[in-house]
Each structure stands twice: as C-alpha cells, then as structure tokens.
Amino acid sequence: MSSLLEILSTVADPEIPVLSIVDLGIVRAVQADRVTLTPTYTGCPATLAIEAAVRAALDQAGHQAVAICTVLDPPWTSDWISLAGREKLRAYGIAPPVSRGMPACPLCGAAQTEEVSRFGSTPCKALWRCLACAEPFDLFKCH
Ligand SMILES: [Zn+2]
C-alpha cells in the first residue's frame, strides 16, 4: 500500500494541474489516521475540489478511515510552495509568487514586467505582461 504522502503527491491542484497539493504546500501534516490541509485561501473555489480529490484518492487507496482536517491558522502563504513546485510553475509558464517587487517573466526570464489585470484566468492568478518579450503570463497571487 502506498504511504499517505505518496497518495497525496498524486493529487493535483485543480487550477494548476502540474502542481500536486504537496508541491503547493497545503498538506500540513500526515498522521496515521488523518491528514491536515490548509487551503490556499478561503473563498478560493478550488478548496472544495481539492478536499474532494483528496478524499477520493484516499478512498481509492483503501484509506477510508483516514480523516481530512482543515486548519486555517496559520494561513497558507505562497512561501510554502516547494522549490520543486516553483520550478514546475515556471515550466508551465506561470510566474511563481514573489513576496515583493515584480515577478520575472517565466518565458524569457526578463525582470521588466507589468501587471495587466488583477484577475487572470482564475481568481488565484493575475495577468501580467513581459516588457521584454511582450508575452502575457499568469502570476500565482500572494495572499
Ligand atoms: Zn519575457
């Protein structure tokens, strides 16, 4: 039987399918009888989908007895995205979150970028544009 963490690493984020919920850093604790999740932010429509996907993955692997707990405090921060997760975001064409300043263009790496819209293709992303290669890209938003 796969370990709980292995099962959780197969659950993809519904909005960014290249990222697993483990990459995203929302899996806070894994114990024999429970897994603890912290949603990326409350109000994100992906939150319920993630919980349902975790439930389905656990059930499928024979872990019906494992409970899913949700902890909101401390709140999730984009700092919890793993290094591997940041690389996957960049490879997918999404700028990993930055705590301050401008995100670098995930396509050409240029530092000169500008925000086009606070709202990208989903509520968790903002639309940015690179001033060097003129390509638009999504920025994973910080909360
Ligand atoms: Zn660029």
Side-chain angles (χ1 to χ4, degrees):
M1 202 180 279
S2 312
S3 77
L4 291 177
L5 193 61
E6 279 165 4
I7 296 163
L8 294 171
S9 356
T10 67
V11 178
D13 178 76
E15 295 193 346
I16 307 166
V18 291
L19 278 194
S20 80
I21 58 170
V22 175
D23 292 327
L24 204 50
I26 67 174
V27 176
R28 300 317 297 161
V30 179
Q31 287 152 287
D33 63 343
R34 76 185 60 195
V35 297
T36 305
L37 307 178
T38 295
T40 48
Y41 64 104
T42 45
C44 179
T47 302
L48 281 177
I50 288 174
E51 207 176 304
V54 169
R55 183 75 269 160
L58 290 174
D59 288 356
Q60 210 169 15
H63 292 293
Q64 287 89 347
V66 174
I68 299 172
C69 305
T70 301
V71 173
L72 298 176
D73 186 36
W76 179 86
T77 129
S78 53
D79 292 345
W80 293 355
I81 300 178
S82 70
L83 278 179
R86 286 167 194 277
E87 281 312 310
K88 288 184 203 175
L89 275 176
R90 229 188 310 271
Y92 192 55
I94 298 176
V98 285
S99 34
R100 68 180 66 82
M102 308 265 162
C105 171
L107 306 163
C108 72
Q112 290 76 34
T113 54
E114 65 174 8
E115 186 179 71
V116 177
S117 163
R118 287 287 297 150
F119 301 96
S121 50
T122 74
C124 298
K125 292 177 224 152
L127 186 63
W128 280 65
R129 180 169 51 214
C130 175
L131 296 177
C133 70
E135 289 294 326
F137 64 90
D138 280 332
L139 169 69
F140 198 87
K141 275 196 249 174
C142 303
H143 290 275

